[in-house]
Amino acid sequence: ILRAPTAIQQDQLIKQATARLMISEDTLRDDLKRASLKSAPSSPKNSPSDPRAVSHPADEVDTLKLLVHHPDCRELIQEYLPSALFTDSSCKTIYIAILHKESASTDSLISELSGADEECVRLAAEIMASDVKVTKIEDMHKMAAQDLILSVWRKQLEQRRQSLEQQREQASGKLFSQLDFEIKQLVQDLKKFRQGWEQARLILDL
């Protein structure tokens, strides 16, 4: 479970394991946390964290890792995940570069990013060097790709819903009705996205 490439995939494996072992998820998560702490290398004392470190959305970074290390997911991700949905500029730039490049080598990706900023190139190198291993469960990497696509879409729909709700608070009359209708439609769409891939595809394939 600890070797799962993404947090979403790890969560799936935890649910499967707890069902088979007939134990609670909290118990298994506590055991995994202790095991992770034991296996993690100790940090040097008195070494402050790098103030230049930049945070990037986990689901977007995990999508890029999956694309780099499992190019068989490329067609699925490219079909259902437009670059406009990436909220992080570095992740968006790397995503476009990955889809544009023909070779899977590190040099080819870095060359595609020749005009990008330093943080974007650093993140790309980190993604290329990451050790992503998909379990032997059949189609697990495809399931991970589907989950990541849904995660990015849900985030975008949720942000859109919140924005419309703020606009509705200041609206009246016909505009209020239009915003209210769109919000209700977004709520229904979000429900489908939470129900899993097959339900979400009813919207994605429109």
Side-chain angles (χ1 to χ4, degrees):
I1 293 174
L2 291 174
R3 298 173 75 89
T6 70
I8 294 174
Q9 186 177 337
Q10 188 177 88
D11 191 60
Q12 285 183 334
L13 294 175
I14 288 174
K15 292 184 188 309
Q16 293 174 9
T18 53
R20 292 177 183 174
L21 298 173
M22 295 177 28
I23 60 175
S24 71
E25 287 188 24
D26 289 340
T27 299
L28 182 55
R29 289 182 190 279
D30 287 342
D31 287 344
L32 289 172
K33 185 176 181 180
R34 285 193 290 270
S36 177
L37 290 173
K38 288 181 180 179
S39 60
S42 58
S43 305
K45 293 183 179 179
N46 302 321
S47 67
S49 58
D50 188 347
R52 298 170 300 173
V54 179
S55 176
H56 302 279
D59 53 359
E60 296 181 18
V61 173
D62 285 343
T63 300
L64 299 177
K65 288 180 179 179
L66 203 61
L67 275 169
V68 167
H69 297 283
H70 298 282
D72 52 310
C73 294
R74 174 174 175 155
E75 184 176 349
L76 174 65
I77 294 175
Q78 186 172 13
E79 180 178 1
Y80 289 105
L81 198 59
S83 60
L85 292 184
F86 280 74
T87 59
D88 183 89
S89 59
S90 292
C91 289
K92 180 186 292 187
T93 300
I94 296 170
Y95 181 65
I96 294 172
I98 290 173
L99 297 185
H100 185 261
K101 75 187 186 74
E102 296 181 0
S103 170
S105 70
T106 303
D107 290 341
S108 68
L109 176 56
I110 298 302
S111 65
E112 288 286 344
L113 298 170
S114 58
D117 59 41
E118 182 180 346
E119 172 58 21
C120 185
V121 175
R122 185 205 65 77
L123 178 61
E126 179 182 298
I127 289 169
M128 294 292 292
S130 62
D131 182 20
V132 176
K133 296 181 179 179
V134 170
T135 64
K136 294 181 180 180
I137 298 176
E138 187 176 0
D139 288 337
M140 184 59 74
H141 51 294
K142 180 180 178 182
M143 292 169 59
Q146 292 171 350
D147 287 339
L148 287 166
I149 291 169
L150 296 186
S151 177
V152 175
W153 265 100
R154 282 196 304 267
K155 181 172 63 178
Q156 193 274 343
L157 292 176
E158 189 60 43
Q159 290 174 347
R160 175 63 176 164
R161 182 186 66 80
Q162 292 174 2
S163 174
L164 291 177
E165 286 180 343
Q166 291 176 355
Q167 294 178 47
R168 185 179 61 178
E169 291 177 359
Q170 307 298 325
S172 61
K174 186 177 180 180
L175 178 58
F176 179 91
S177 299
Q178 291 175 341
L179 292 170
D180 189 62
F181 176 80
E182 188 171 350
I183 290 169
K184 289 177 179 176
Q185 184 60 56
L186 280 171
V187 170
Q188 293 302 313
D189 291 347
L190 280 165
K191 284 182 179 179
K192 280 188 167 53
F193 272 82
R194 293 188 183 101
Q195 290 170 358
W197 180 252
E198 293 306 319
Q199 287 299 311
R201 278 191 62 183
L202 298 175
I203 299 172
L204 294 173
D205 286 337
L206 290 177

